[in-house]
Amino acid sequence: MTTYRAQVRVWLKPSVFDPQGNAVEKALLTLGFAGIEEVRIGKSMEFLVTADNQESAEAMVDRACRDVLCNPVMEMYTFTLEARQEA
Amino acid sequence: MTTYRAQVRVWLKPSVFDPQGNAVEKALLTLGFAGIEEVRIGKSMEFLVTADNQESAEAMVDRACRDVLCNPVMEMYTFTLEARQEA
């Protein structure tokens, strides 16, 4: 078995309005950060995955994203996997 | 002036308990994702920065992280900058 470190990022789809990003953008503008635009805010997740090989680890993370971590109607996700050490 | 795409990730410091990550970990376990552990959840932010050069863009993003985007008591941040096209 191998342990992998997964890094998942979940974002609102470009077509979906991002109220949080919009609020942060206005706050930054008010505080003098004039050069910052198009702020989008998402979720970052990191966890360990123990699996037989890279392929089954990827399958597990992909399924976890689709079923639990991401709302497929409004969000999209990307993830990376890095092998750590033999479990 | 150059436009840069900034990607910021904000995390709870390792010493801080992550209730959200803990809840997601339990939910994943309940749903049959036995191989997933140590779930940590943070924020991802993406935005455009217009500045004279890479250095001043980095300074602006760093200041925005320290002053607005991250709570230095409990959180830590990392960011990357990618030059886009001349503004």
Side-chain angles (χ1 to χ4, degrees):
Chain A
M1 296 286 269
T2 310
T3 300
Y4 299 86
R5 173 161 292 283
Q7 295 197 337
V8 177
R9 295 179 65 207
V10 177
W11 291 97
L12 286 172
K13 290 180 177 174
S15 56
V16 178
F17 177 64
D18 179 2
Q20 206 180 0
N22 195 263
V24 168
E25 189 168 328
K26 287 201 174 96
L28 287 168
L29 196 62
T30 312
L31 294 167
F33 294 90
I36 294 182
E37 296 166 310
E38 293 187 25
V39 178
R40 301 283 292 180
I41 296 188
K43 288 174 281 194
S44 267
M45 296 172 220
E46 240 183 61
F47 48 83
L48 298 180
V49 187
T50 306
D52 296 330
N53 50 49
Q54 174 103 7
E55 220 172 76
S56 53
E58 272 173 20
M60 192 189 304
V61 173
D62 194 60
R63 196 160 58 86
C65 288
R66 267 183 294 117
D67 295 356
V68 183
L69 306 176
C70 169
N71 170 353
V73 174
M74 297 173 54
E75 294 174 332
M76 52 192 188
Y77 63 90
T78 56
F79 67 86
T80 57
L81 268 183
E82 244 175 73
R84 258 196 10 155
Q85 80 290 329
E86 291 303 318
Chain B
M1 297 285 269
T2 310
T3 301
Y4 300 85
R5 173 160 293 281
Q7 294 196 338
V8 177
R9 294 179 63 208
V10 176
W11 291 98
L12 286 172
K13 290 180 178 174
S15 57
V16 178
F17 176 64
D18 179 2
Q20 206 180 1
N22 195 261
V24 167
E25 190 168 328
K26 287 201 174 99
L28 286 167
L29 197 62
T30 313
L31 293 167
F33 294 90
I36 294 181
E37 296 167 309
E38 294 186 24
V39 178
R40 302 281 293 179
I41 297 187
K43 286 174 282 193
S44 265
M45 297 172 220
E46 241 182 63
F47 47 82
L48 299 180
V49 187
T50 305
D52 295 331
N53 50 48
Q54 174 103 4
E55 221 173 75
S56 52
E58 273 173 17
M60 191 190 302
V61 173
D62 194 61
R63 197 161 58 84
C65 287
R66 267 182 296 117
D67 295 355
V68 182
L69 304 177
C70 170
N71 170 354
V73 173
M74 297 172 51
E75 294 173 333
M76 53 191 187
Y77 63 89
T78 56
F79 67 87
T80 58
L81 268 183
E82 243 174 75
R84 261 199 2 157
Q85 78 292 330
E86 290 303 320

